[in-house]
Amino acid sequence: MSTPARKRLMRDFKRLQQDPPAGISGAPQDNNILLWNAVIFGPDDTPWDGGTFKLTIQFTEDYPNKPPTVRFVSRMFHPNIYADGSICLDILQNQWSPIYDVAAILTSIQSLLCDPNPNSPANSEAARLFSENKREYNRRVKEIVEQSWTAD
C-alpha cells in the first residue's frame, strides 16, 4: 500500500542514494520503509573525528507533516543526547517542517555533534563539562569514538 508518507520516504531514499551528503548514510530496514538504519561519521578535525555512530529513524504515516523519532543506538556522550539515545534537537521537536528530508535530519544531527547547545541539556554532565572543562569533555568524547569502532 502506497501512502503519501511511503512515497515521500522512497523519494528521500532515492535522493540520499543519488546525492549522499558527506559523512552520513541511511536506508530503510528490510521490507519496512517506515524504519531506517542510519550512520553518522564524526566530522573531520573535531573530537568526533573517526567515530561511526549508528541511529534508528522511526517514521509514522504522518511523515513529513510530523517529524520521525530519531535515536542513537551507539553509546553517546553529548550535551543534547539523552542516555537512551534520543536527541534534543529543535527540528525534531518544535521547529519541524515538512521541507526537511532524511538527509537534512542526519546532517543537522551531525552538526549538532560539534555544535551542542549546553543551555538545553539532555545530559547535564556532558553539558557541564562542555562549558567548564573542554579538555575532559573532549577526552570523554574520544572514548565514545573509540567504542564506536568495536560496538556492534
Side-chain angles (χ1 to χ4, degrees):
M1 180 169 108
S2 198
T3 61
R6 291 164 192 267
K7 282 187 185 127
R8 168 64 187 267
L9 285 166
M10 285 305 296
R11 202 178 78 209
D12 284 8
F13 181 48
K14 199 175 285 175
R15 191 176 293 152
L16 201 56
Q17 285 181 306
Q18 290 168 344
D19 188 19
I24 64 169
S25 70
Q29 284 187 9
D30 296 336
N31 303 323
N32 186 355
I33 191 80
L34 296 177
L35 185 60
W36 289 41
N37 291 321
V39 175
I40 291 179
F41 298 95
D44 294 346
D45 304 321
T46 73
W48 299 93
D49 192 350
T52 54
F53 305 103
K54 296 182 173 93
L55 306 95
T56 58
I57 311 172
Q58 177 72 62
F59 298 91
T60 65
E61 292 290 353
D62 295 326
Y63 180 79
N65 296 318
K66 291 219 169 78
T69 302
V70 186
R71 183 169 266 138
F72 276 95
V73 179
S74 304
R75 208 164 136 248
M76 295 301 282
F77 183 75
H78 187 279
N80 306 113
I81 300 169
Y82 289 96
D84 70 356
S86 51
I87 304 160
C88 182
L89 180 63
D90 55 0
I91 72 156
L92 293 175
Q93 278 113 19
N94 55 351
Q95 297 295 312
W96 174 254
S97 163
I99 61 165
Y100 295 122
D101 62 3
V102 175
I105 294 166
L106 292 172
T107 304
S108 297
I109 294 169
Q110 186 186 43
S111 24
L112 180 70
L113 288 181
C114 305
D115 194 14
N117 177 0
N119 302 325
S120 175
N123 176 333
S124 51
E125 185 189 2
R128 185 182 58 75
L129 285 175
F130 180 80
S131 300
E132 298 170 13
N133 187 346
K134 203 59 126 289
R135 187 133 134 238
E136 176 61 13
Y137 173 80
N138 288 342
R139 189 189 70 72
R140 296 278 298 270
V141 167
K142 289 243 186 291
E143 280 178 11
I144 293 292
V145 166
E146 288 175 21
Q147 287 172 10
S148 79
W149 305 331
T150 52
D152 47 13

